[in-house]
Each structure stands twice: as structure tokens, then as C-alpha cells.
Amino acid sequence: MVKSIVQRFTRRFSEGNVWAIAPSTQRRSLWQRLIGETRTRILLLYVAVMTGVTAVSIPLFQKLLVTDIEQRVRIDLRQELEDFKERYDLWQTSSPQTEPSLQQFIDEFLAREIPEDDNYHIFLLNGKYYAANPTSLIEPIQPGSELMNTWLTLSDETRDVIYHDDPNIGSILYKTTPIILNGQYEGMFIVTHVTQGEEEEALEAVIVFVKVAAAVVTVSFLLAWLVSRQLLNPVRQLATAARSISESDLSRRLEVQGSGELADLTHTFNAMMNRIQQAFDSQRDFIKDAGHELRTPITIIQGHLELMGDDPEERRATLALVMDELDRMNRLVNDLVLLAKSERNDFLHLEPIDIHTLTHDLFTKATALAPRCWRLGAVANGQFVGDRQRVTGAMMNLAQNAAQHTQETDRIEIGSRVVNQTVQFWVRDTGEGILPEDQSRIFDRFARSKHQHRRSDGSGLGLAIVKAIAEAHGGNITLTSRFGVGSTFTMMLPLGDRQHPPRSGSFRRYSVHDSNSHC
């Protein structure tokens, strides 16, 4: 069973881990092996995610960049328009109001005010194009163009107008303000901007961003791929350890390094291997002890049958001995089956049990086991939820065990009490007791005392069965013993569960019955 568990774990882990390379995997190409590695797959997924995020961010970055440029252009156009108004108002208050003077003002303004890059200052006078700076205008704003003809029809101030014509040129942003002289409309001042240059710069910036992002992702992938080998080293060690495990060697453990998920995985693996090794050792010892227990009656039966003669009396004696040994083997097999069933969910048939009645029944049954000074100790009142048949069998095993290790003059006490929502049944004797070095292993299967002669002809599984029954109820069994003084076995069981709660207020602590004894 343990072998199959180890093999299944090793196979499943190897299938999910890249370092568990099977012979067929070793024959694959280097590229196939690199692609098959977990770290490569993780980093490729990282690259795919980063590439997708970058692809989504590129148009967003371009849009934000163009928006920022347009906002800056609007601010520049507004500032240049305000500068013109300020200078024109100053000229109106300090200069003669004649048309030649207006033209002179415009010429001086164009000569002194240098527009920002890709900006144009355009003047319209008397319904015609007059002058501009720079003097060389691009085609969409040249005299005779559609946009220029639109400007000639304007007489009011405009703000943040965007004109789209030629995609090769981009957008044209402009602001206009009328030129009023002596209350008469004389013309229009236009400040405009062509976005072609900024859009080209934005596109170049996006291209640079893409190149930098691609370089960063590539370098990050390579560095992460190299570093991840060290980070995933515990997983590789785990795969190596899993491959080295066999049913004859379960001692391999991993060194825990650092903290985090991989350290937790290492702890879990080591804990799992400890449990598997304990189960394997227990199974191996169990099989060895069971084989030893079965070998003895088989040897006895075989020897007596081989030596059995024709004498009827001898035959009857041999058959009686053979039947006795077969009965012992049958008890051993039944106990083994019972221990195997204790791990199943349907091992117990739970029902409410009256503690007082059960304790008296246990005492009555125990007195028939052997001629001892049987005494009924404290008896609790109330109910608990359990399997009456299993609990009775466990307590009879304890009573039988006490009877086997006491003399006729020794006292054996059976009692019960309720403590902290737990019912406790005990068997206390004044027999030979158990040595301290034997107490730690007394509940193991086929356990033998190193310094005591076991007078029992049982299977050697009695106390192991008692422990299995107690644990199946969610309880436990304890031993208190002094060599040469006596022993006390106490089985502690919970009072109830959600499906079978005990009746509240139905028990007192316990009552003492000193007069109930069979001595």
C-alpha cells in the first residue's frame, strides 16, 4: 500500500514538474526541453502579459501625448492673442488713428513678434489677406484656400477652433480677434498652429517607447529566467527526492531554506514523507509481527499432525490441540479485521448510551472473566453518544488484560465519571504494573514487555483495539502505572455530537458504590 502511494506521488509530481525528466524526455531537443521547463512557461506567460499591457498602453500613451500637446498649443495661442491685444490697445491710446499708421503698426508687430514653432500670425485688412509671419504659408492657409476664405467672412472673435483638412498636415488650431479702429471693423488678426510637427514628434516618442519597452521586457525575461533557476531550486530538489524514493528507502528529506510558498512546500513534503515512513514502518512491523504470531500455531499444528500416530487417544489429543491453535489463529484474524475496520467511516453505530447502566453492565460482565476481587468504583449518571458494542468490547479487553496480570487476591476496579464534557471509564488493578520503558509502546500492535512474561494466549492486539475504538469515538486512552503497584487504564470519550447531543441536565458528576464488590 505504501509502495503504491509513493509511486503515485512520484509519478504525479514528475508529470507536473519539468526537472523530473523521464528517459523519453532526455531524448528531446534542447529547445523542446527549454520550452518544457516550468520557469520558461511562467516567464513566457509574464512576457505575454507584459506585451499585451504594452500593446494596450501604446495608443493610450499616444493619445495622452497628443492631448498634452494640444493643451500646450492652446495655451500658446491664447498667450500670443493676449499679447497682440495688449500691444494693439497700447498703440490705440498713444498713436494717431489713421490707416497708414495701422498698417505701420502691423508691420512693426510682425517684425518684432516671433511666433512659436509651427505658429503663424496672419493679418486680414479690408477683406483681403495683408501679411503674415512667417511669410511662407502652408497650402491649407494660403490666400485663396478654403480656410483663408472662411477667415475672410469672420467678423467676431473665435476660440479654440480645430480644422481638419489634409491628413498629411494634421490639425490646424486657430484663434481670431477682430481689429476695430475708431469703432469701425478694419480687419482680423489670426494666430494659428499646425500640429503636423508635434504629431510627428509624438509618433517618434511612441516608437522610442515601444523600443525601450521591448528591450526592458527582453532583458527582464532573460535575467528572470536565469535567477528563477535558483529560486525554483527547492522544487528541483523535491523532484530529485521524489525520484529517489522507493519502498526500501524513505529516509530522503529536503533542507528548508528561507520562507514563503516554496519553504511551505518543503515542510509539507518532509511532513508527508515522515507520515509515509511511519506508516511504512508500522505496516512492516505489523506484517512481521502478524507473520510471527501466525507462524507459531502453524508450526505447532504441522508438527503435531506430522507426528500423529494411529492411537485413537493420541489422535483425539492432537485434534484438540489443533482446534485450540486454529481458534487462536481465528481470534488473531478477527482482531486484524477489527483493526482494519476501525479506519472506515461505518465502523461505529452511534446511539445515546446511559452511562450509569453501561457501567453496571460492564462490571457485571467483568466479574465473570476471572476470580478476582472485583470492585465497582464511582459511577456517573447521564448519557453520551457512542457505539455500545464497541465500547463494551474495549472495556472487556481492558478488564481481561487486568485479569491476566493480577493474582486472585488482587483488586480490579471498574468505574466511570464525567469531566469537562467527557465521560471517562477506567479499569484499575493492583497487579504487577508496567515498566516505564514499556508504557510508551503498550498500545502498539503485538507489543511485548521486555521484562514481563505475558501469560495471555490472546492475539496481542487487545490494547491496540482499545486505542482504535477510543480514537474512532474522538477520544483517547491513557495509562498510569507503577511497577509492582498496579495500573490504571482510562478510556476518555466525548459526551456527544451535533447529530446526537446528550440530554442537558441528565447527569450528576458521579455517585460512589463502595458496597458493590465481588471479593
Side-chain angles (χ1 to χ4, degrees), residues 153-316:
T153 62
L154 298 177
S155 58
D156 297 324
E157 183 173 328
T158 60
R159 296 178 180 275
D160 298 337
V161 178
I162 302 177
Y163 175 79
H164 298 278
D165 185 13
D166 190 347
N168 296 324
I169 295 177
S171 302
I172 300 177
L173 283 72
Y174 66 88
K175 292 177 180 291
T176 66
T177 184
I179 300 175
I180 307 298
L181 184 61
N182 297 327
Q184 297 292 326
Y185 173 79
E186 297 294 337
M188 186 73 68
F189 172 69
I190 303 169
V191 56
T192 183
H193 176 86
V194 179
T195 63
Q196 179 184 13
E198 281 79 3
E199 291 180 357
E200 291 177 353
E201 292 177 359
L203 181 60
E204 292 176 357
V206 170
I207 294 175
V208 171
F209 170 77
V210 172
K211 292 180 179 179
V212 171
V216 169
V217 171
T218 302
V219 173
S220 300
F221 171 79
L222 294 177
L223 293 177
W225 190 80
L226 295 174
V227 174
S228 62
R229 180 177 178 84
Q230 183 63 28
L231 295 177
L232 295 176
N233 188 54
V235 180
R236 186 171 61 255
Q237 293 178 356
L238 185 61
T240 303
R243 290 197 301 272
S244 66
I245 293 171
S246 64
E247 66 274 11
S248 59
D249 183 15
L250 299 173
S251 61
R252 181 67 181 272
R253 299 296 184 271
L254 300 180
E255 180 182 356
V256 180
Q257 298 178 352
S259 60
E261 291 82 358
L262 293 180
D264 291 340
L265 178 62
T266 305
H267 279 295
T268 303
F269 176 82
N270 290 339
M272 181 200 69
M273 290 308 305
N274 290 335
R275 292 192 299 270
I276 291 178
Q277 185 170 16
Q278 291 174 1
F280 182 81
D281 293 341
S282 176
Q283 184 187 57
R284 181 177 55 193
D285 295 340
F286 177 76
I287 293 174
K288 180 176 65 175
D289 292 338
H292 174 75
E293 291 289 331
L294 291 172
R295 187 183 300 113
T296 300
I298 291 175
T299 301
I300 294 173
I301 292 172
Q302 184 178 6
H304 281 78
L305 290 178
E306 289 176 350
L307 297 176
M308 184 176 64
D310 297 331
D311 182 43
E313 186 65 27
E314 181 182 355
R315 284 176 173 270
R316 281 194 297 273

Side-chain angles (χ1 to χ4, degrees), residues 456-473:
S456 169
D457 59 352
S459 64
L461 298 173
L463 294 179
I465 291 174
V466 173
K467 180 181 178 182
I469 292 174
E471 292 178 347
H473 280 81

